[in-house]
Amino acid sequence: MTVPSAEAVAEHLAALVRIPTVTPKYAGPHDEATAASFAALHDALRTFYPRVFAHAVEDIGRAGLLIRIPGGAADRPLVLMAHQDVVPVPADWAAEGWEHEPFEGAIVDGWVHGRGTLDDKGALTVMLEAVESLLDEAWTPPQDVYVLMGADEESYGDCAITAASVLTERGIVPWMVLDEGGAVATGAFPGLDGEAAVIGVSEKGIVDVRLTVEGLGGHASTPPRESAPGILANALARIEAHPHPAEVNDVSVEMLELVGGRLRGPLGALLRRASSLRGVLARVMPRLGPELAAMVRTTVAITQLEGSPAHNVLATRATAVLNLRVAVGSSVEEAVAHLRAVVKDSRVEIEPELPSEPSPVSPRGDDARWAAMLEAVGASYPEALAIPYVMLAASDSRHLAPMSGATYRFAPLRMSKPQREAVHGPNEKVEVESLGRGVAFYRALLTSDRLG
């Protein structure tokens, strides 16, 4: 076996896209159709990657897989992560604007189309292709390599939590973890031409907060002066009017200064001085759009509202669910305390649910693991500027990060702005040529002398 061509990788990815492993929403056993989809995916993976699956395969959670590839030493283990599940698509997908059926796995004009091509079956495929091709060359990793494939990342399931517990019980401390997150982005920064390999070195915390207001109910013909939904609405308005304070963290400063080194003119000069201009940037960045605002503060999204069950009945209870992404350097406790201080109404019950703290910041600079990441980017995307950033979304790796020496979040696939917007939306697709580069990235990383 030689290194697979990008076209061969695309065929494998298209086949995996055709298996609709839609994320399970709730804990507990899979329903029959979901279980069958994941079983079919596992069969396909065993067919495509027999050398990988010739090693010990362990079931994790409902449909997760953990594979250990023994290396020259058991210390300093490397954990490669990707998830098998995808988000659902609406029944009327054509009305949403899809150019191709979401689970058709169409390969057209140099692109693989379909749900999961970017999130996260594309990264899963190039990761496995790289490992399979190396094993065919009689490669033995210098340290143990674990391949962890979750099955419920999109619904914040427990596959990764279970895997972290299993590793901890066995005394296995990951030296380095690599999961999805950043990508080789184009159009990511104003004024920056070319590609930026954006590597997550931490990720924001996440917590849902439920706001509840009790009411008396009754007939809608005689409403009270203040209703439960009205009290709740006032609380939500105050929360949106008083966002969490903005602060530019060290990782963002490093990112901005690296970007500034590639820019000319006043903007480049400003960014190159980011370290001494944190206060100015903290005031300016939130005004430049939601992505830049999210980089410098804890964010609050109002995601669910519930009131009366009928149009002519007063609500006995009004609830709202907020999804908070907690800034690195802050905490869930601080984030929730800010909400309480802003609402200032004892009638509004504020309770956090499923809290997950911000992840530790992984090493950069001359650390061997960071250097290996940069070299792998150089081998696969030589024109790209590699920069660290704080991941705004949540990944499975957050459950391993507290026990890992270094956790990086990066999918070695090229993503334009429209592609990034298509993640979880219509017309998700990946370039065939980029798949070949993704395989090259993983091969370069796994054979790096830095990890030996």
XYZ file of all heavy atoms in Angstrom, residues 1-4 51 129-140 439 443 447:
160
model
N 0.840 -1.203 0.000
C 0.000 0.000 0.000
C 0.874 1.251 0.000
O 1.828 1.352 0.761
C -0.890 0.015 1.240
C -1.746 1.256 1.397
S -2.771 1.169 2.882
C -3.553 2.773 2.817
N 0.589 2.162 -0.864
C 1.263 3.452 -0.879
C 0.388 4.468 -0.163
O -0.725 4.174 0.268
C 1.505 3.901 -2.321
O 0.254 3.994 -3.000
C 2.401 2.907 -3.057
N 0.910 5.676 -0.027
C 0.095 6.738 0.571
C -1.145 6.928 -0.290
O -1.047 7.074 -1.514
C 0.902 8.048 0.642
C 0.036 9.163 1.221
C 2.154 7.852 1.483
N -2.333 6.907 0.303
C -3.548 6.965 -0.507
C -3.672 8.293 -1.237
O -3.273 9.337 -0.725
C -4.658 6.802 0.537
C -4.054 7.267 1.819
C -2.613 6.858 1.748
N -5.713 -2.692 9.133
C -4.516 -2.717 9.973
C -4.747 -1.958 11.277
O -4.248 -2.354 12.327
C -3.324 -2.138 9.201
C -2.906 -3.006 8.017
C -1.921 -2.310 7.100
N -1.645 -3.135 5.927
C -2.423 -3.201 4.849
N -3.533 -2.470 4.794
N -2.111 -3.982 3.831
N -6.739 7.181 7.610
C -5.962 6.907 6.399
C -4.467 7.020 6.679
O -3.664 6.193 6.214
C -6.351 7.888 5.286
C -7.782 7.782 4.793
C -7.995 6.644 3.804
O -7.004 5.995 3.397
O -9.162 6.414 3.436
N -4.085 8.037 7.438
C -2.666 8.227 7.744
C -2.131 7.081 8.584
O -1.058 6.529 8.291
C -2.472 9.560 8.471
N -2.861 6.708 9.618
C -2.393 5.626 10.492
C -2.335 4.308 9.717
O -1.373 3.542 9.824
C -3.301 5.501 11.723
C -2.862 4.319 12.590
C -3.275 6.784 12.546
N -3.358 4.039 8.913
C -3.393 2.797 8.126
C -2.207 2.720 7.170
O -1.554 1.670 7.054
C -4.709 2.726 7.348
C -4.888 1.484 6.493
C -5.252 0.240 7.293
O -5.527 0.374 8.506
O -5.263 -0.854 6.707
N -1.913 3.807 6.485
C -0.811 3.787 5.518
C 0.532 3.611 6.214
O 1.429 2.935 5.695
C -0.824 5.066 4.669
O -0.553 6.214 5.454
N 0.695 4.202 7.391
C 1.946 4.032 8.131
C 2.102 2.599 8.629
O 3.199 2.022 8.568
C 1.992 5.009 9.305
C 2.226 6.479 8.947
C 2.019 7.365 10.159
C 3.634 6.678 8.386
N 1.025 2.021 9.118
C 1.089 0.633 9.580
C 1.446 -0.303 8.425
O 2.153 -1.303 8.611
C -0.241 0.223 10.210
C -0.580 0.880 11.549
C -2.003 0.527 11.970
C 0.411 0.455 12.633
N 0.983 0.013 7.234
C 1.308 -0.803 6.065
C 2.797 -0.731 5.723
O 3.330 -1.622 5.070
C 0.465 -0.334 4.873
C 0.670 -1.200 3.648
O 0.443 -2.418 3.745
O 1.083 -0.668 2.606
N 3.450 0.319 6.185
C 4.885 0.477 5.953
C 5.712 -0.099 7.100
O 6.893 0.215 7.238
C 5.209 1.963 5.761
C 4.532 2.582 4.545
C 4.623 4.101 4.523
O 5.297 4.675 5.415
O 4.029 4.717 3.619
N 5.050 -0.902 7.954
C 5.707 -1.523 9.112
C 6.185 -0.487 10.126
O 7.168 -0.699 10.848
C 6.860 -2.416 8.673
N 5.485 0.632 10.185
C 5.790 1.692 11.147
C 5.388 1.279 12.550
O 4.326 0.702 12.764
C 5.043 2.955 10.728
C 4.916 4.043 11.746
C 5.878 4.946 12.109
C 3.747 4.393 12.507
N 5.375 5.825 13.046
C 4.068 5.504 13.310
C 2.451 3.853 12.582
C 3.150 6.090 14.174
C 1.535 4.431 13.444
C 1.889 5.542 14.225
N 6.247 1.554 13.498
C 5.921 1.392 14.908
C 6.088 2.747 15.575
O 7.172 3.341 15.509
C 6.845 0.369 15.591
O 6.676 -0.906 14.966
C 6.513 0.255 17.075
N -4.166 13.951 5.199
C -3.410 12.718 5.417
C -1.924 13.046 5.601
O -1.254 12.505 6.493
C -3.611 11.740 4.243
C -2.721 10.508 4.421
C -5.075 11.328 4.128
N 0.458 12.081 8.867
C 1.665 11.281 8.653
C 2.900 12.043 9.149
O 3.785 11.455 9.804
C 1.808 10.923 7.172
C 0.874 9.807 6.713
C 1.051 9.526 5.213
N 2.420 9.167 4.893
C 2.899 7.923 4.881
N 2.103 6.900 5.178
N 4.163 7.694 4.568
N 5.214 10.794 12.484
C 6.594 10.390 12.227
C 7.598 11.476 12.628
O 8.791 11.360 12.325
C 6.799 10.045 10.749
O 6.427 11.170 9.933
C 5.949 8.842 10.353
